[in-house]
Amino acid sequence: MKLSEIKKALQKLETIAFHLPDGTLVPNHFHVTEVGKITKNFIDCGGTVRNEEVVNFQLWEANDYDHRLHPEKLFHIIELSEEKLQIPDVEIEVEYQMKDTIGKFDLDFDGTNFLLISKLTDCLAKDKCGIPTEKPKVKIGEWKQKETSCNPNSGCC
């Protein structure tokens, strides 16, 4: 979800709710403690230089049960961030404190609630690493046969 999309969604809402990937809700007394622009410059394993930019929202639970973040307040925070940090209309990444670490999520909207979508690691240079873009479909019997015939020094294991 891009920044323009969340702003459009917020204009239609009376309350804000975030669903975690397991279906539970982020407690409604959460705060958005940060809205920021994150720029990541890196080289992938194939040697390609890459530049990614996202808007980062950090959700935080406090023991402050008397204050709720309303859609118009978050809308204002986003607009202020766009102005002060020169944030373009890019994808949103959400950080939320999980049990032992910070979880990073993509964001979606189902028409009523925001959905935190689990992020996964990936190889960005599959073509240079010899990794097929789609997993080959193999019959179970064939897989077992290949598994037992793989030589540990052959590079296939």
Side-chain angles (χ1 to χ4, degrees):
M1 169 177 263
K2 288 190 171 189
L3 204 53
S4 60
E5 295 170 305
I6 194 171
K7 287 171 56 179
K8 186 176 178 182
L10 286 169
Q11 291 176 336
K12 299 175 185 176
L13 295 176
E14 291 184 28
T15 60
I16 304 172
F18 287 91
H19 275 265
L20 291 161
D22 67 2
T24 61
L25 282 169
V26 170
N28 60 5
H29 57 277
F30 75 91
H31 293 260
V32 174
T33 58
E34 296 177 10
V35 174
K37 176 172 61 172
I38 295 179
T39 303
K40 181 178 175 182
N41 299 308
F42 62 101
I43 297 176
D44 67 25
C45 59
T48 301
V49 175
R50 297 183 184 262
N51 182 355
E52 292 180 359
E53 194 168 72
V54 296
V55 175
N56 181 269
F57 288 11
Q58 186 180 81
L59 305 183
W60 178 67
E61 289 177 48
N63 293 330
D64 177 6
Y65 299 99
D66 297 327
H67 297 93
R68 302 289 186 268
L69 182 64
H70 296 283
E72 61 276 2
K73 176 70 172 174
L74 182 54
F75 188 92
H76 175 71
I77 293 168
I78 292 168
E79 284 197 321
L80 185 62
S81 301
E82 286 176 306
E83 176 191 331
K84 299 290 183 184
L85 301 174
Q86 299 298 298
I87 298 177
D89 188 26
V90 294
E91 291 293 322
I92 299 168
E93 171 182 274
V94 178
E95 292 180 347
Y96 179 66
Q97 181 67 47
M98 304 304 289
K99 183 178 178 182
D100 296 325
T101 190
I102 296 172
K104 290 176 102 174
F105 302 92
D106 286 326
L107 187 64
D108 202 356
F109 184 65
D110 68 5
T112 306
N113 298 306
F114 293 103
L115 310 173
L116 299 180
I117 309 298
S118 295
K119 293 182 77 124
L120 302 172
T121 60
D122 193 10
C123 175
L124 300 177
K126 290 180 182 78
D127 57 330
K128 294 182 180 168
C129 294
I131 299 170
T133 55
E134 193 175 305
K135 290 184 179 180
K137 295 182 181 182
V138 198
K139 292 181 183 174
I140 297 295
E142 292 174 6
W143 175 76
K144 277 291 195 196
Q145 181 183 4
K146 286 181 183 176
E147 179 185 48
T148 56
S149 64
C150 181
N151 179 338
N153 296 324
S154 69
C156 70
C157 304

